[in-house]
Amino acid sequence: MRPTLRQLQYIVAVAETGKFHEAAKTLNVSQPSLSAQIAAAEAQLGAVLIERGRNGAIMTPTGEEVVRRARVILTQLEDLKTVARQTEGRVAGRYRLGTVPTIGPYLLPSAVKELHRLFSDLRMSVREERTIDLEEKLNDGRLDMIISTPEDHVNSESMSLFQETLFICAASDDELSQGEGPVDISALQGRELLSLGFGHRLSVVIQMLADAAGAHVSTEYEGTSLDAVRQMSAMGAGVAILPNLYAVVEAQRDPGQVVRPLRHLLATRDVSLIWRTGSPLGRDIEALGLVFRDVAMDILESEALRPAGRPVRRR
């Protein structure tokens, strides 16, 4: 006998979660059922795939290879389902979207709402990941498409969504928070810049800006989110570099927040919708990309940035 597709799905879920009970929860099955199916697959293959222990489930070398191949099989199955259900002008079924955390939370709430309005049979699952993890999961089939920076995914197909300016944010009593309009990069000379941790494209851009400005990136603090970086800057820990989309959304939530655009060629980033070359989902993904692009433009062009008090200063 051969392992079933369901068994392969169970094995991959354990590999991704590292725990049998988490995998069962993710798949909405009982843990005993999941364990029994995996044991049956191991017996059929004549190999131990998972090392069970108190610290969780660890894939054996054979298990890692089986997981790699299983992901390919499961992705091809999803692609086959997509081809079978495709009809002209209709996007339907389940799509797995990955996004960097510096974009997803500020674009997707509005975009997903619009997608569901336009495509009633569409189901979207979303994962936030670091840039380097998005590349891996797109290539091995765990994701169908990602929203990221195209220079980090050069072997994939992409569709440009928008380009955004980077903004600076500092404590309210900092001189950078007192002026009007764009800030020249020379104003950052000697300053400490706050950044996210390793694996994020934004961190690479901030390091390049620091080099160009004669500034330095903080070695004492690495943020886990843009909110954390902004809050640290508000407390005087350094100068935060924030993407345009985030600055717009946060300005709507907090009219007292002062952020100003940074004037330099490096102070921009391109954001694209990206998918595997040759994917049969390509046509549908492009249709979804048009919606993502329109929603992003609506947010970036929003003039809700001008409330009374301490607005975002763009002039």
Side-chain angles (χ1 to χ4, degrees):
M1 294 182 63
R2 301 172 182 173
T4 65
L5 291 172
R6 176 169 294 180
Q7 289 169 344
L8 294 180
Q9 184 182 26
Y10 288 0
I11 293 167
V12 170
V14 171
E16 292 182 350
T17 62
K19 297 182 184 296
F20 276 77
H21 71 273
E22 290 292 339
K25 182 178 179 181
T26 299
L27 296 170
N28 197 29
V29 299
S30 69
Q31 183 175 335
S33 176
L34 179 137
S35 298
Q37 288 294 324
I38 291 178
E42 289 179 317
Q44 291 159 7
L45 293 171
V48 176
L49 306 180
I50 303 172
E51 178 183 336
R52 285 85 163 166
R54 292 183 177 179
N55 295 326
I58 302 174
M59 306 307 296
T60 65
T62 300
E64 290 180 352
E65 180 61 19
V66 168
V67 168
R68 186 185 70 80
R69 293 171 182 262
R71 284 174 176 150
V72 173
I73 293 169
L74 293 172
T75 297
Q76 290 175 339
L77 177 62
E78 289 299 318
D79 288 349
L80 182 62
K81 290 179 180 178
T82 299
V83 170
R85 70 173 177 253
Q86 279 181 332
T87 57
E88 190 67 32
R90 176 171 174 259
V91 180
R94 177 174 173 266
Y95 290 76
R96 299 163 298 173
L97 170 68
T99 177
V100 291
T102 57
I103 297 172
Y106 318 106
L107 171 63
L108 293 184
S110 298
V112 170
K113 182 179 179 180
E114 180 67 5
L115 286 171
H116 285 165
R117 185 184 71 81
L118 294 171
F119 308 111
S120 59
D121 294 325
L122 172 69
R123 298 294 178 267
M124 185 83 72
S125 62
V126 180
R127 293 182 65 96
E128 288 185 18
E129 303 279 359
R130 300 179 303 169
T131 309
I132 57 175
D133 296 326
L134 288 176
E135 173 73 359
E136 175 187 340
K137 292 181 179 181
L138 179 66
N139 288 336
D140 68 20
R142 280 178 280 178
L143 296 172
D144 299 313
M145 55 185 163
I146 59 177
I147 296 176
S148 186
T149 42
E151 61 266 35
D152 295 298
H153 314 280
V154 294
N155 295 318
S156 301
E157 295 187 45
S158 65
M159 172 184 183
S160 178
L161 298 181
F162 59 93
Q163 183 182 77
E164 60 180 352
T165 301
L166 299 182
F167 283 62
I168 61 98
C169 178
S172 59
D173 59 353
D174 191 294
E175 61 181 11
L176 292 174
S177 299
Q178 309 308 313
E180 294 287 340
V183 174
D184 192 82
I185 195 170
S186 61
L188 299 181
Q189 184 174 6
R191 303 297 295 267
E192 187 167 57
L193 307 185
L194 302 178
S195 179
L196 298 173
F198 171 76
H200 297 277
R201 164 55 59 173
L202 184 60
S203 300
V204 176
V205 174
I206 291 173
Q207 182 61 63
M208 292 190 295
L209 287 169
D211 294 341
H216 62 277
V217 177
S218 174
T219 58
E220 297 182 356
Y221 178 78
E222 287 185 347
T224 56
S225 68
L226 292 177
D227 279 338
V229 170
R230 178 174 62 89
Q231 289 163 9
M232 289 299 291
S233 71
M235 292 187 290
V239 179
I241 307 295
L242 305 173
N244 197 166
L245 198 65
Y246 173 85
V248 169
V249 173
E250 287 308 308
Q252 293 171 344
R253 294 174 182 169
D254 180 8
Q257 181 69 64
V258 176
V259 293
R260 300 171 61 192
L262 183 60
R263 183 164 47 208
H264 192 271
L265 290 176
L266 292 174
T268 62
R269 69 170 179 174
D270 294 314
V271 176
S272 295
L273 184 62
I274 300 162
W275 62 96
R276 287 183 299 280
T277 299
S279 170
L281 303 174
R283 185 184 66 183
D284 287 354
I285 290 173
E286 288 181 333
L288 300 178
L290 293 174
V291 179
F292 285 127
R293 179 188 290 168
D294 288 345
V295 171
M297 290 299 102
D298 286 345
I299 296 173
L300 292 173
E301 293 173 2
S302 170
E303 289 304 317
L305 293 173
R306 300 181 298 177
R310 304 293 302 282
V312 172
R313 293 173 178 169
R314 300 171 58 92
R315 296 188 297 275

